[in-house]
Amino acid sequence: MSVSQIGSGLYLSDLDAALNCSVLRSRRVTLIVNCSGREDLRYPPLDGLRVLHVPVPDRPHAPLDRYFQLVSDEILQNGSGSTLVHCSAGRSRSAAVVMAHLMRCEGLSLSQSHRRLLERRPFVRPNVGFWRQLMALEQSLFGSASVQMSATPAGVLPVLQDAPPRECCVNM
């Protein structure tokens, strides 16, 4: 399960899959969104392949939200093929960026976006800071919250609520 299809032409993976030529070819990837924090990676030399770097560490106070709109815009403009979003493990940074995209462009609530990812990639787990940034995005897009943070013995974790889908392609 190194590559998970999240939607039509949208994939989420770990670093190893993003560097694998056969993975990229078989999925017709023309845009890679590199959320690994590493800009020194050597991707396979495929015609038309573009890379967008999101240079953010996987730390709760890292400003991943600065890239939510840019990443969504690039995914939407990638009409020539598929998009692969990755970080090191495909669990935190890349998952958060994909959830932000689903909220912005498919009108899904944060809880719906998270559920979609869990259906296709059961081990996604954005860090607490990224959850808070996603919650702020949801509030600014829709004026409501479908996720609350709760203190548990395992740490601060998201509690998901149900929320109806919203209009697609919300612009900020």
Side-chain angles (χ1 to χ4, degrees):
M1 189 179 279
S2 64
V3 179
S4 304
Q5 185 168 4
I6 306 306
S8 177
L10 180 60
Y11 298 91
L12 177 60
S13 79
D14 60 13
L15 176 59
D16 289 340
L19 297 174
N20 184 311
C21 189
S22 65
V23 165
L24 300 177
R25 273 202 181 113
S26 67
R27 289 161 180 85
R28 296 185 45 241
V29 173
T30 55
L31 173 64
I32 292 176
V33 179
N34 171 4
C35 299
S36 73
R38 294 183 52 192
E39 294 187 39
D40 63 334
L41 299 173
R42 292 180 182 244
Y43 295 98
L46 299 172
D47 287 340
L49 182 65
R50 294 182 307 115
V51 178
L52 172 63
H53 293 281
V54 177
V56 175
D58 191 5
R59 296 206 172 92
H61 297 291
L64 188 61
D65 57 349
R66 291 181 187 170
Y67 296 92
F68 289 165
Q69 184 169 347
L70 173 64
V71 170
S72 282
D73 290 347
E74 290 292 324
I75 291 171
L76 288 173
Q77 292 171 14
N78 184 31
S80 60
S82 301
T83 299
L84 177 75
V85 183
H86 79 87
C87 55
S88 297
R91 293 180 41 148
S92 184
R93 289 168 286 191
S94 57
V97 165
V98 169
M99 285 192 287
H101 174 71
L102 294 175
M103 284 192 291
R104 289 182 43 79
C105 295
E106 292 192 22
L108 299 181
S109 68
L110 178 53
S111 64
Q112 291 167 327
S113 299
H114 186 247
R115 283 188 182 104
R116 179 181 294 178
L117 262 65
L118 286 176
E119 288 170 1
R120 293 162 170 94
R121 197 169 182 83
F123 50 88
V124 296
R125 188 177 172 141
N127 72 44
V128 169
F130 297 161
W131 271 110
R132 292 188 197 283
Q133 292 171 49
L134 289 165
M135 291 165 60
L137 175 64
E138 181 180 41
Q139 186 67 39
S140 71
L141 291 174
F142 308 125
S144 62
S146 64
V147 174
Q148 295 179 352
M149 300 306 282
S150 179
T152 71
V156 178
L157 297 174
V159 177
L160 307 178
Q161 324 276 314
D162 284 325
R166 309 301 204 290
E167 288 185 31
C168 294
C169 294
V170 177
N171 292 317
M172 291 183 61

